[in-house]
Amino acid sequence: MNDGKDWFAWHSPYADDDSPLARRLRLVQQHIAAWFDERPGKPVSVVSMCAGQGHDVLNVLASRPDATRADVTLIESDPRNVAAARAKAVTENLETVTVMQADAGDLASYRQAVPADLVIMAGVLGNISDADAHATINALPQLCAADATVIWTRTRRAPDLTPRIRTWLADAGFAERVFHAPDGVLFSVGVHRFAGTPQPLATNGEIFTFIA
Ligand SMILES: C[S@@+](CC[C@H](N)C(=O)[O-])C[C@H]1O[C@@H](n2cnc3c(N)ncnc32)[C@H](O)[C@@H]1O
């Protein structure tokens, strides 16, 4: 399920507000917060794939008085990140957050969490093969409720896959809302809206293997 990379230490640059990772995080958080604001008062469900320590959605929820209307599932394989995300959820009284230690590349891991109104794929598409990125995008209609939003990130390091990712998302029934590709950094952040028909979750199936 995992390789030799230290995915706990990977989060360290978040402590530096000027780091590209922190800048990327702020963009993702901005879109999560805007997404909540566009749906005032409604119960919503959120799933984060390879959620890490959950800095994006947990920090947004921690600042919201209406956090409990969100049923949130974080799927993360590294036990240290799972523990950090759970500790944050407890500290912030985020009672509707579930942090699952599971393989986000296995569709079975999503059984209790979907269909979701918001799917967060931050730090996923750059750590899997191009074929798996395509397969993961093709599987999104199994994870998304009608009219769901997907927030995703991807490095634009050459060869830049983001043009193909955006085409694959369109082919899978997603309309692009935003695509940030700031100058001077390699990250990008996309926001897509599902305009297709939700599909039932396959009982089993590997959609990706982490390779980074
Ligand atoms: C690049 S980090 C992104 C973390 C988080 N989404 C963020 O943007 O802050 C990738 C995360 O995926 C986790 N991971 C790796 N393979 C996984 C798998 N098969 N299932 C779930 N999580 C996985 C790693 O432990 C790591 O926390």
Side-chain angles (χ1 to χ4, degrees):
M1 189 193 301
N2 225 327
D3 51 44
K5 190 153 181 170
D6 185 340
W7 290 113
F8 186 80
W10 178 90
H11 292 72
S12 307
Y14 281 144
D16 173 3
D17 280 348
D18 295 328
S19 68
L21 201 61
R23 289 177 58 192
R24 188 191 86 171
L25 175 66
R26 285 196 294 276
L27 269 177
V28 171
Q29 289 173 332
Q30 178 191 308
H31 284 293
I32 295 171
W35 179 85
F36 271 102
D37 290 342
E38 285 166 17
R39 292 157 185 76
K42 283 174 66 174
V44 288
S45 58
V46 179
V47 67
S48 178
M49 194 183 275
C50 301
Q53 297 174 8
H55 287 265
D56 40 30
V57 67
L58 296 185
N59 283 347
V60 171
L61 288 175
S63 68
R64 295 190 71 93
D66 62 347
T68 55
R69 71 186 170 89
D71 187 9
V72 179
T73 304
L74 308 187
I75 303 178
E76 165 62 34
S77 62
D78 186 315
R80 298 166 301 165
N81 291 335
V82 169
R86 284 183 180 151
K88 171 85 174 171
V90 168
T91 303
E92 301 292 349
N93 290 316
L94 300 174
E95 290 160 13
T96 57
V97 171
T98 301
V99 186
M100 283 177 64
Q101 185 179 347
D103 179 2
D106 182 354
L107 284 177
S109 300
Y110 297 84
R111 206 168 287 144
Q112 309 298 325
V114 298
D117 300 304
L118 174 63
V119 177
I120 302 168
M121 276 198 306
V124 179
L125 296 174
N127 294 305
I128 61 181
S129 71
D130 295 1
D132 281 1
H134 196 181
T136 301
I137 288 166
N138 282 338
L140 285 172
Q142 296 180 52
L143 308 183
C144 286
D147 214 24
T149 296
V150 175
I151 300 176
W152 59 276
T153 71
R154 176 62 160 82
T155 179
R156 287 171 287 138
R157 187 174 297 116
D160 180 5
L161 193 68
T162 59
R164 290 172 73 197
I165 286 172
R166 295 161 77 191
T167 298
W168 293 336
L169 281 162
D171 291 346
F174 291 83
E176 187 167 286
R177 298 287 301 271
V178 183
F179 179 64
H180 297 278
D183 290 340
V185 289
L186 286 174
F187 72 75
S188 63
V189 175
V191 180
H192 277 71
R193 190 75 166 267
F194 185 42
T197 305
Q199 302 296 316
L201 187 66
T203 44
N204 277 306
E206 285 294 326
I207 46 175
F208 64 75
T209 304
F210 236 64
I211 52 171

